Each structure stands twice: as structure tokens, then as C-alpha cells.
Amino acid sequence: MPIELYRDDRHACLMFTDLIEEDGQAVQSNQFLIVDSGTGAVIDPGGNLAFNELFLGMSQHFSPQKLSYIIASHADPDIIASLDRWLTSTPAQLVISRVWERFVPHFTKVGKTEQRLIGVPDGGGRLPLGRSELWLLPAHFLHSEGNFHFYDPVSRILFTGDLGVSMMSGRTAQVPVTDLKPHLPLMEGFHKRYMVSNKVLRLWVAMARQLDISMLVPQHGAPLKGPAIGQFFDWAESLKCGIDLFDDRNYQVPTVQINGRTMV
Ligand SMILES: [Fe+2]
Ligand SMILES: [Fe+2]
């Protein structure tokens, strides 16, 4: 069952947290459906594991033939590997960074993305959706080279892809976090390795602080709400990550043997 992050007469934001069975192999992921005036967009619909349930969930709000967009924050498998099925089952256009527009056709059968792809320039933009719009905000290198976040001015939710994520079960991810401190151990390791640098985090925080945000909702783990939003900005601004932490010790010719499934 999806969580309703927001709803009014013509607009709704739904979050699916548990479409992927927790068998330990695939990381927990959230998928999002924005509904506005009889149409909608799926944000970061994920891989084939999530397709059926998300498609069914969407059908309860409007006909799949009314889906306007499949929106991808970046091109990772947990974001958009189900692209071929979405393009087959709906008339929606894929919205993704120009950096990835010539790479994502590898997820589909030949010719499937023709006339179906909106390549977003690095500066982002405002995308009409029903009677509203979604703001496509630059979030490059957080973590992907061509990366966008999505701000919904109706619900004031900022969808942040892999930024702000935490590692937890789908059930736990349904409960928004309001105090960041006890939540940090679930976030820290991921951000230190997957985010590219403190410089980019600071640039992003300076942009994000200008928005009126009701909730910051990542693609893995729980949404951040209330005081946790400002606490997250403070934490991200001071976090050393990615290339800040890498030096010559990380680039040595390896001597470790890799045996079968486990590493010694
Ligand atoms: Fe990713
Ligand atoms: Fe992800």
C-alpha cells in the first residue's frame, strides 16, 4: 500500500516503500507517483521488481494511457531499469538528464525511446504537469554526473533521489524522521561513499535553502520532516565525502584474492 505524502482535490503525492521483497539482495527503494488533475508522473520507478505493483497502484488513480512522464533523477538500475515496460504500457515521455539520454536506450528494445525522451539541460527547468508543474533542480554529482531533484510547489515536497537516503526496511521507511541525530548512523556510510564531494553538497544546500520545503523525500529510507530538514542541511554542508576522503591509499595495485562469492 502506498503512503499518501500529500492530497487535495486535484493533487496527490504517493510513496511506495515496500514493493521489493526484503530478501537482502536488492536494496530497499521508494517509488513515487504524483497525480494532478487526472494525469501524473512516476518518479524514479525503479527496476522490474517494482513495476507490476506500481503500475497497478497508478491505475487506481488514472488510466495508464494518461501518464504524462516517467521522471528519472539519474540512470541507475534502481531508478529506471524498468524503462522498457513503462514505455510499452503507457504513452509517457521519459524525462532525464541530457548526460544520460543516449545511454538509457540500452534499457529498452531498439527504437523504443524515439520521440519519447525529454533530455534536461544541466540548468534544469520547470515541467508542466496537469494544472501544476514540477521543478527539475540541478543536483549533479549527488551522486550521478547528470542528476536532478524534483520540487513539487503544491505539496512543497522535495524529492532528492539518492541524497538524504537511509538504509532500512520498507516498513520503517514509511515513518518520517523529525530528529536527524539518531538517524545519522543509517545515512553516514552511504553518503561518505556515494556522494562526490563536500563542495557539491555546499552548492546544493545553498540552492535548497531557498525553497519552502514541507518534506525532503529520498529514494531509499524515510522522509525527513520538520527540524530534520534544517539539521540535514547543516550536516550535509559539513560532510566530507567521496573524493574528499580518497587519496593514494585508495589507488594501489591490489594483491587481495577474490574467491567465488566472498572476498578474503
Ligand atoms: Fe544512484
Ligand atoms: Fe538509489
Side-chain angles (χ1 to χ4, degrees):
M1 281 289 286
I3 308 295
E4 271 188 16
L5 298 174
Y6 177 88
R7 172 178 289 283
D8 67 26
D9 290 349
R10 65 174 181 91
H11 192 88
C13 299
L14 307 174
M15 171 166 98
F16 299 76
T17 67
D18 56 0
L19 301 187
I20 294 160
E21 283 182 32
E22 289 166 43
D23 61 358
Q25 293 185 9
V27 65
Q28 184 276 336
S29 300
N30 303 321
Q31 299 80 29
F32 307 100
L33 175 65
I34 314 286
V35 183
D36 191 285
S37 310
T39 181
V42 284
I43 294 181
D44 292 346
N48 291 315
L49 293 168
F51 176 82
N52 287 337
E53 296 241 19
L54 184 54
F55 189 83
L56 267 177
M58 176 189 70
S59 309
Q60 286 166 11
H61 295 271
F62 54 83
S63 152
Q65 292 312 308
K66 291 270 170 69
L67 184 70
S68 295
Y69 308 112
I70 304 146
I71 305 182
S73 57
H74 58 297
D76 275 354
D78 60 324
I79 298 291
I80 198 64
S82 58
L83 180 61
D84 191 78
R85 299 181 75 180
W86 285 102
L87 290 177
T88 301
S89 314
T90 74
Q93 286 186 291
L94 173 68
V95 179
I96 194 163
S97 162
R98 271 190 194 159
V99 167
W100 298 122
E101 67 177 324
R102 294 180 65 244
F103 293 82
V104 284
H106 286 270
F107 281 132
T108 72
K109 294 179 190 72
V110 177
K112 208 87 172 271
T113 50
E114 220 169 289
Q115 309 292 323
R116 302 281 304 273
L117 216 151
I118 299 173
V120 184
D122 276 351
R126 300 185 181 200
L127 183 74
L129 176 68
R131 280 157 54 198
S132 178
E133 60 184 17
L134 285 178
W135 299 2
L136 317 182
L137 299 160
H140 310 303
F141 301 104
L142 297 172
H143 63 95
S144 173
E145 294 90 336
N147 203 124
F148 287 98
H149 292 168
F150 311 111
Y151 180 69
D152 172 13
V154 178
S155 64
R156 297 182 293 112
I157 293 172
L158 179 60
F159 296 93
T160 54
D162 277 330
L163 185 65
V165 308
S166 45
M167 295 295 125
M168 52 174 58
S169 71
R171 187 174 287 269
T172 325
Q174 296 177 354
V175 185
V177 166
T178 52
D179 181 15
L180 198 71
K181 204 160 179 224
H183 192 60
L184 279 178
L186 305 173
M187 306 176 81
E188 202 156 15
F190 181 92
H191 286 77
K192 281 185 169 169
R193 183 61 183 87
Y194 284 83
M195 297 299 138
V196 169
S197 78
N198 176 258
K199 172 185 173 177
V200 191
L201 281 172
R202 281 186 283 115
L203 292 169
W204 178 87
V205 170
M207 175 189 66
R209 282 194 200 276
Q210 298 170 39
L211 300 167
D212 176 16
I213 300 171
S214 65
M215 215 184 277
L216 193 150
V217 184
Q219 188 239 344
H220 308 281
L224 306 181
K225 205 175 156 181
I229 296 173
Q231 292 164 359
F232 177 73
F233 290 159
D234 295 343
W235 177 73
E237 254 175 351
S238 63
L239 184 72
K240 296 261 183 291
C241 60
I243 61 172
D244 304 323
L245 304 175
F246 271 53
D247 59 24
D248 58 320
R249 288 169 295 182
N250 302 99
Y251 296 88
Q252 297 293 319
V253 175
T255 54
V256 170
Q257 292 293 323
I258 297 174
N259 297 326
R261 289 170 62 93
T262 51
M263 217 167 136
V264 181

